Amino acid sequence: MLSSARRRLAAVAAATVLAALGTVPAAHADAPAATGAPAVNLATNPGFEIPTLPLADWGSIPGWHCAAGEGAVTTAARTGGSALAVTPASADSTGQCTQTLAVRPGTTYTYRAWVHGSYAFVGATGTGHDVPPAWTASTGGGWQQLSTTFTTGANTTSVQLYVHGWYGQGPITVDDVDVTGDTPAPAYATWNAPTSDKVVFLTVDDGWFRTPEAAQLIADRKLPITAFPLPMPEGFEPDYFSRITAAPGSSIQDHTVSHRDLTTLSPAEQQAEICDARDAVAARYGTTPTILRPPYFTFDATTQQAAANCGIRYLLTATADFTSGAANVYHGGPLQPGDVIIMHFTDTLASDLQRALDAAREAGLTPAALGDYLH
């Protein structure tokens, strides 16, 4: 957001100093930071203790997506303060709720959940193999843990967990979901896309101001844009982001749901912020993000693992900021091959883009598709 500019600049300046000291990667960082550890439970919002996220505008329980009117948070929990109540809305519905989870190929996972009620089912699809669900006809008025195990296929990198009731039956309650198995490798952290090719990359964040002038310039120049909109402004005018990413090599990526400093959040909140923003892009545009722009450029080892659990491969900051009249190149001097320029969807985006294009031309660089270099 615009109010974060000063904080963002401070974070980038600090990162630049550390990079010069060799402690922050200027390219692929294939190991997490020295502190922190990946969570044992891979599920997002496993206890349903996060009922909502700030700026979340599509009504889902963080991490979970239910048919309209069929899933809600309830205080009738097994542990903690919340659980998921699933109510089939009609005689031809099971009331299914789902979650997408990144996995390693050729790996065995165990999915457990505690259920309460009659005809409760848990299972996974997209595993690469047929997996029968675990289910119970009745929990006898108490809680019962259901468990199923699946092994992912050789090319499987994500699965869909599900929980549902049964046709014509009453509501069920679900709590304390647990998914165990090898975690995906932590997301790589980088501030550029290392290359000797004479290219530069244009990225634009947030989405609060959507000007026709910027969209027209992007269309006229056929600029490859990597956009990092937040789900709420993205939802206000989804076609706008389709238009500004229409050029070949453009994409819409992940910027979290509510633009909070991820390092101030619990692991569960970090994963919910990242996964729900991923799901918003996937639902609206049919593509799944693989790059996260962490708000304020702040992240830690927990962020890297949470992002990986959401299928994110890269945490991308930037080497230059051309937002709102700025022209700051953080490594000093002119732009260099592989530099990533950050801008924002502001009322000055058209002129900011032109200024970034001029700086790139003066350095002998042309805009290129980020996905061709970070893949």
Side-chain angles (χ1 to χ4, degrees):
M1 298 178 187
L2 293 179
S3 61
S4 71
R6 183 173 298 177
R7 188 177 183 185
R8 185 188 296 275
L9 292 175
V12 175
T16 304
V17 172
L18 291 174
L21 296 175
T23 57
V24 168
H28 292 173
D30 56 3
T35 60
V40 173
N41 187 355
L42 304 181
T44 304
N45 197 13
F48 308 96
E49 300 299 322
I50 309 172
T52 60
L53 292 172
L55 301 184
D57 63 322
W58 59 93
S60 294
I61 300 159
W64 299 87
H65 300 276
C66 308
E70 296 189 328
V73 169
T74 175
T75 56
R78 174 180 174 267
T79 63
S82 301
L84 173 67
V86 178
T87 305
S90 65
D92 59 357
S93 173
T94 64
Q96 180 165 279
C97 297
T98 63
Q99 174 177 135
T100 300
L101 181 71
V103 293
R104 288 182 184 265
T107 302
T108 299
Y109 293 86
T110 299
Y111 169 27
R112 304 180 184 90
W114 287 86
V115 297
H116 184 284
S118 298
Y119 292 98
F121 294 73
V122 302
T125 60
T127 65
H129 306 285
D130 291 334
V131 180
W135 68 283
T136 182
S138 174
T139 63
W143 287 89
Q144 179 181 338
Q145 188 180 48
L146 300 180
S147 178
T148 184
T149 298
F150 58 88
T151 300
T152 55
N155 299 310
T156 301
T157 57
S158 70
V159 300
Q160 188 174 79
L161 308 178
Y162 65 81
V163 56
H164 63 72
W166 199 242
Y167 306 99
Q169 302 298 311
I172 62 170
T173 309
V174 186
D175 204 0
D176 300 326
V177 172
D178 185 53
V179 181
T180 55
D182 285 348
T183 60
Y188 298 135
T190 183
W191 68 346
N192 66 351
T195 180
S196 58
D197 296 348
K198 293 187 175 300
V199 295
V200 69
F201 306 100
L202 305 176
T203 68
V204 191
D205 284 15
D206 295 354
W208 296 111
F209 292 84
R210 299 170 295 277
T211 66
E213 295 82 6
Q216 191 63 54
L217 186 152
I218 291 167
D220 290 346
R221 305 285 185 90
K222 297 181 172 59
L223 298 176
I225 298 293
T226 304
F228 294 91
L230 301 169
M232 181 175 279
E234 177 188 296
F236 291 154
E237 197 175 356
D239 288 349
Y240 182 86
F241 299 99
S242 295
R243 293 198 304 274
I244 62 97
T245 56
S250 298
S251 66
I252 300 175
Q253 298 292 340
D254 195 317
H255 196 36
T256 74
V257 169
S258 55
H259 207 282
R260 292 184 289 174
D261 179 345
L262 291 171
T263 62
T264 68
L265 306 180
S266 69
E269 287 179 299
Q270 290 203 39
Q271 189 159 321
E273 284 275 356
I274 298 165
C275 285
D276 266 20
R278 171 206 63 189
D279 291 346
V281 172
R284 287 173 177 148
Y285 303 105
T287 58
T288 302
T290 58
I291 304 172
L292 169 68
R293 166 70 51 71
Y296 314 113
F297 290 0
T298 59
F299 63 91
D300 54 21
T302 298
T303 313
Q304 290 178 269
Q305 189 59 62
N309 293 351
C310 298
I312 299 297
R313 299 192 62 194
Y314 295 93
L315 267 64
L316 179 68
T317 57
T319 49
D321 190 340
F322 278 67
T323 297
S324 298
N328 299 313
V329 179
Y330 294 110
H331 53 63
L335 293 170
Q336 297 176 0
D339 273 349
V340 172
I341 299 173
I342 185 174
M343 290 163 283
H344 291 76
F345 289 101
T346 68
D347 55 1
T348 64
L349 178 56
S351 60
D352 294 339
L353 280 164
Q354 185 59 63
R355 196 170 57 263
L357 292 172
D358 291 343
R361 185 184 66 254
E362 291 171 5
L365 307 172
T366 58
L370 185 62
D372 291 344
Y373 292 81
L374 294 183
H375 53 76

